[in-house]
Amino acid sequence: MNLVVALKSYITRMTEDSGPGMKVLLMDKQTTSIVSLLYTKLEMFMKEVYLFERIDANVRNEGLKYLKCIVFVRPTKENVEFLCNELRCPKYGTYYIYFSNIIAKADIKLLAESDEQEVVKEIYEYYADYLAINPHLFSLGIVGCSQGLLWNQTHLHRTLLGIISVLLSIKKCPYIRYQSSSEMAKRLAEKIREILSKESNSFEFRQESNPVLLIIDRRDDPVTPLLNQWTYQAMVHELLTINNNRVNLSHVKGISKELKEVVLSAEHDEFYANNLYHNFGEIGQTIKELMDEFQKKAKKHQKVESIADMKNFVETYPLFKKLSGTVSKHVTVVGELSSLVEKHNLLQISELEQELSCQNDHSAQLQKIKELINNQQIREIDSVRLVMLYALHYERYANNDINGLLSLLKSKGVSEKYIKLVHSILEYSGINSRQNNLFDRESVAKITKKLFKGLRGVDNIYTQHIPLLNEILEDLIKGKLSSQTFPYLGNTIISKRPQDIIVFMIGGTTYEESLTVYNLNKQNSGVRIILGGTTIHNSQSFLEEVQHATIGVLPRYKRSS
């Protein structure tokens, strides 16, 4: 169940099935993102793809009949119309059309009728309708999938197609379980079952296990996406934002031109692949080792005095150049992370975030929040996240001071948008919306302290929090997941423990939960878990999600005047 391998095999087949010769790859906006996550342009050149075009672009290149055109698009109404227009007046010699999902027979008929010059050689369905972020992690790139706490219909349809594509690409026809407290989870589960039934011929796989698709709702765990992160991939996304493996560093003072945007891809960057899940303290040490290795190699090449020296340099140059690029890229990224941590007092904030999510000490925590709100170095977004965590934790506490904290934020000049979000988080994910008590879980009481290397050698106070997903998956793996809280669709009950688990989180997942799945896969031999979400959140995108979801919902809490 390797998502990266599944999608790469489709794209390899696309380029090989069209035979030798120069090719153009014609894509839409979303398939462009799907391909760019997996392959560099150089790798595509090696597959004889020399031109990349967008189907929705108004560019008309004439005289390209010598090129074969590989079309890779989503099976949308708009794309079918674009293709029909293309085929009526073809720019290229031959067309090989690959849809990223199931295509309606009526649409194929339309294409056939438009192909008057008979340039189409093949039409296939290749199920690559999702973003493969890591081998076990996928996203659909949707922020704000709900409105008024119910599905946005366009996003429901896109989510449905994305999950169907995942199942077809990994060849699984699963039993479906869903979170009973979530109307959105139930609705999606029913829609998926309809497609599995309607397209039953496409899902006739030889199944060696009882795969399970588990549909859960972000609203049951609002804490995880609100926290600062301390492992490399998650931390980069939280502080700098990863967008289709790209990180924008153009805001960094004195940044060189080639580092204004960097690519962080586990497929193409060995250092990144090896350090995705390492904590920030460990990364610093590893960067130092990488720099030492580079300097050793650089010193070796300082003297080029003979033909043999030149030959040796040229032979090792690609590796040398690659190492040079890797060193400068990661030194820049880690340097910027370190600067932001110091500038915004993130260690102090993170320590309190962890206390709010894992411990019960109302008076002390309230006092610390007030002190941090009054600290001029603290960003308003960080102050607001602390108040949100407090509100979620102590919503039912008799002496809570949610309104007092809101007044304090207001007096500090925090924007109205953020003040409203404190109300919104309680509507989105307050205690009446959750089926789990996040702040009184067994796992919280069993937290083990580990050494967090590099962060002043203190105990691991920055990573105490364990996502709710960990508990749910451990119960599922052991066969103990409640059929009341996570019923099977159609009241089927499977006693055999699942080996293949596909988890989908409505409202977006996080890199902290991705790390949880990665660890569970390592710890449980014979169990394979993949995780997907409508998007991969950092705290900023999660707040956008909450804002979208609560449009038109009246707040229960009134601010004190």
Side-chain angles (χ1 to χ4, degrees):
M1 294 216 304
N2 186 318
L3 300 170
V4 170
V5 168
L7 293 199
K8 285 186 95 165
S9 70
Y10 280 139
I11 294 160
T12 298
R13 277 153 60 191
M14 285 180 209
T15 56
E16 289 176 353
D17 289 354
S18 52
M22 295 176 72
K23 303 170 182 97
V24 57
L25 185 55
L26 186 62
M27 300 174 284
D28 61 30
K29 184 181 178 182
Q30 285 172 300
T31 55
T32 300
S33 296
I34 290 164
V35 173
S36 68
L37 274 172
L38 304 169
Y39 287 103
T40 63
K41 276 193 174 178
L42 180 61
E43 286 173 321
M44 294 306 288
F45 288 156
M46 300 293 284
K47 295 177 183 293
E48 299 184 291
V49 177
Y50 298 107
L51 191 61
F52 303 87
E53 289 214 341
R54 282 276 293 275
I55 197 166
D56 53 350
N58 291 318
V59 180
R60 178 125 199 115
N61 294 315
E62 301 294 345
L64 298 175
K65 299 289 184 185
Y66 59 92
L67 285 177
K68 295 175 179 179
C69 181
I70 300 168
V71 181
F72 175 44
V73 293
R74 297 194 63 244
T76 63
K77 185 184 174 187
E78 294 78 16
N79 284 342
V80 171
E81 283 176 16
F82 282 132
L83 261 180
C84 286
N85 292 333
E86 175 76 25
L87 295 177
R88 287 187 196 104
C89 188
K91 291 190 288 243
Y92 308 107
T94 52
Y95 288 76
Y96 298 80
I97 300 172
Y98 300 91
F99 287 104
S100 67
N101 217 315
I102 297 165
I103 180 84
K105 286 176 183 173
D107 289 334
I108 293 174
K109 189 176 178 227
L110 280 174
L111 291 170
E113 288 167 355
S114 303
D115 184 25
E116 293 164 1
Q117 297 183 40
E118 297 185 352
V119 290
V120 176
K121 299 300 176 189
E122 290 175 353
I123 296 181
Y124 281 115
E125 293 172 350
Y126 274 7
Y127 308 110
D129 204 10
Y130 57 91
L131 299 165
I133 311 294
N134 293 130
H136 67 273
L137 178 67
F138 72 93
S139 166
L140 301 178
I142 302 166
V143 176
C145 67
S146 66
Q147 190 171 334
L149 302 175
L150 294 169
W151 273 110
N152 169 305
Q153 291 305 304
T154 302
H155 295 327
L156 172 60
H157 185 64
R158 174 69 189 98
T159 302
L160 172 65
L161 293 180
I163 293 173
I164 291 297
S165 169
V166 169
L167 297 176
L168 287 167
S169 70
I170 59 173
K171 296 180 169 56
K172 302 293 173 190
C173 183
Y175 294 98
I176 303 170
R177 297 186 73 170
Y178 65 94
Q179 186 177 312
S180 62
S181 64
S182 168
E183 276 300 314
M184 290 176 72
K186 187 179 181 186
R187 184 92 193 280
L188 179 59
E190 288 168 346
K191 288 279 183 187
I192 292 167
R193 183 172 61 177
E194 281 175 27
I195 298 281
L196 294 183
S197 175
K198 184 182 169 188
E199 302 288 342
S200 56
N201 290 343
S202 300
F203 286 91
E204 287 179 350
F205 305 122
R206 224 175 122 246
Q207 311 249 89
E208 294 169 5
S209 63
N210 293 320
V212 169
L213 169 63
L214 179 67
I215 301 172
I216 56 184
D217 196 321
R218 175 80 273 160
R219 293 174 67 193
D220 221 34
D221 177 8
V223 170
T224 299
L226 285 173
L227 301 175
N228 271 292
Q229 297 300 315
W230 296 102
T231 53
Y232 195 32
Q233 184 183 39
M235 194 178 181
V236 172
H237 190 46
E238 176 56 38
L239 297 180
L240 299 171
T241 306
I242 302 171
N243 187 4
N244 289 342
N245 283 353
R246 283 162 174 75
V247 179
N248 184 351
L249 295 173
S250 60
H251 61 280
V252 177
K253 197 175 178 181
I255 192 86
S256 61
K257 188 180 176 183
E258 63 272 16
L259 289 174
K260 284 188 173 179
E261 183 182 78
V262 298
V263 176
L264 295 181
S265 165
E267 287 295 296
H268 306 107
D269 182 336
E270 191 180 348
F271 178 88
Y272 186 60
N274 292 337
N275 291 279
L276 279 179
Y277 305 118
H278 288 177
N279 71 47
F280 189 51
E282 293 168 323
I283 294 291
Q285 183 58 37
T286 315
I287 286 273
K288 185 181 179 301
E289 289 165 12
L290 186 67
M291 287 184 74
D292 290 345
E293 185 189 344
F294 172 68
Q295 284 169 344
K296 210 182 290 178
K297 280 185 165 43
K299 200 171 184 181
K300 191 179 171 185
H301 287 296
Q302 276 173 353
K303 291 183 180 179
V304 181
E305 295 172 344
S306 65
I307 298 294
D309 287 343
M310 288 171 70
K311 186 169 180 283
N312 185 38
F313 178 77
V314 169
E315 282 173 357
T316 58
Y317 183 73
L319 185 68
F320 184 70
K321 190 177 178 185
K322 186 180 178 184
L323 185 60
S324 165
T326 301
V327 170
S328 54
K329 175 171 71 179
H330 290 290
V331 166
T332 303
V333 171
V334 170
E336 183 58 15
L337 293 177
S338 184
S339 169
L340 291 169
V341 167
E342 191 174 345
K343 183 180 175 184
H344 302 308
N345 282 31
L346 294 184
L347 287 175
Q348 194 180 358
I349 288 161
S350 181
E351 185 176 347
L352 181 51
E353 287 174 352
Q354 295 289 324
E355 285 178 24
L356 283 162
S357 29
C358 300
Q359 298 167 27
N360 290 312
D361 190 353
H362 178 261
S363 298
Q365 289 170 6
L366 179 60
Q367 188 55 37
K368 286 179 185 177
I369 295 170
K370 287 177 178 177
E371 286 168 12
L372 283 173
I373 290 174
N374 287 319
N375 183 335
Q376 293 308 308
Q377 277 188 285
I378 305 301
R379 295 178 299 177
E380 63 175 34
I381 180 66
D382 294 321
S383 299
V384 169
R385 283 193 293 140
L386 288 171
V387 174
M388 285 180 169
L389 288 166
Y390 172 86
L392 288 164
H393 191 151
Y394 295 109
E395 182 183 358
R396 286 277 175 88
Y397 188 74
N399 296 321
N400 82 46
D401 194 19
I402 297 172
N403 285 331
L405 289 174
L406 286 168
S407 295
L408 196 56
L409 288 175
K410 198 175 181 186
S411 65
K412 189 186 177 180
V414 170
S415 66
E416 186 65 22
K417 178 184 106 173
Y418 282 139
I419 302 282
K420 281 181 180 173
L421 275 167
V422 178
H423 298 292
S424 298
I425 196 83
L426 292 172
E427 296 307 324
Y428 179 81
S429 207
I431 202 156
N432 292 330
S433 307
R434 303 192 304 265
Q435 65 182 19
N436 280 282
N437 185 350
L438 282 173
F439 303 100
D440 190 27
R441 287 157 46 214
E442 243 185 285
S443 58
V444 172
K446 292 179 182 173
I447 289 163
T448 56
K449 290 187 176 180
K450 300 170 191 168
L451 195 66
F452 195 29
K453 294 176 189 173
L455 284 180
R456 303 172 189 170
V458 297
D459 279 342
N460 189 4
I461 53 175
Y462 304 102
T463 55
Q464 298 174 57
H465 174 260
I466 299 166
L468 177 63
L469 180 65
N470 186 80
E471 193 178 300
I472 292 169
L473 286 175
E474 282 190 338
D475 285 349
L476 181 58
I477 291 164
K478 292 170 187 169
K480 292 180 179 177
L481 189 63
S482 164
S483 55
Q484 263 84 42
T485 48
F486 292 96
Y488 284 89
L489 196 63
N491 296 318
T492 313
I493 294 184
I494 309 300
S495 55
K496 196 175 175 185
R497 293 180 188 179
Q499 287 178 292
D500 295 328
I501 301 166
I502 303 105
V503 190
F504 187 80
M505 193 171 288
I506 297 164
T509 188
T510 65
Y511 283 120
E512 187 182 352
E513 286 153 336
S514 169
L515 173 59
T516 290
V517 168
Y518 173 79
N519 286 331
L520 287 169
N521 279 329
K522 276 206 312 187
Q523 293 157 10
N524 295 278
S525 178
V527 174
R528 295 170 292 272
I529 310 168
I530 61 174
L531 170 66
T534 40
T535 193
I536 312 293
H537 279 308
N538 57 17
S539 60
Q540 195 66 53
S541 64
F542 175 59
L543 294 183
E544 286 176 41
E545 189 80 40
V546 171
Q547 193 174 20
H548 272 283
T550 54
I551 288 171
V553 177
L554 293 172
R556 285 172 289 159
Y557 279 90
K558 298 291 177 190
R559 291 197 304 279
S560 53
S561 55

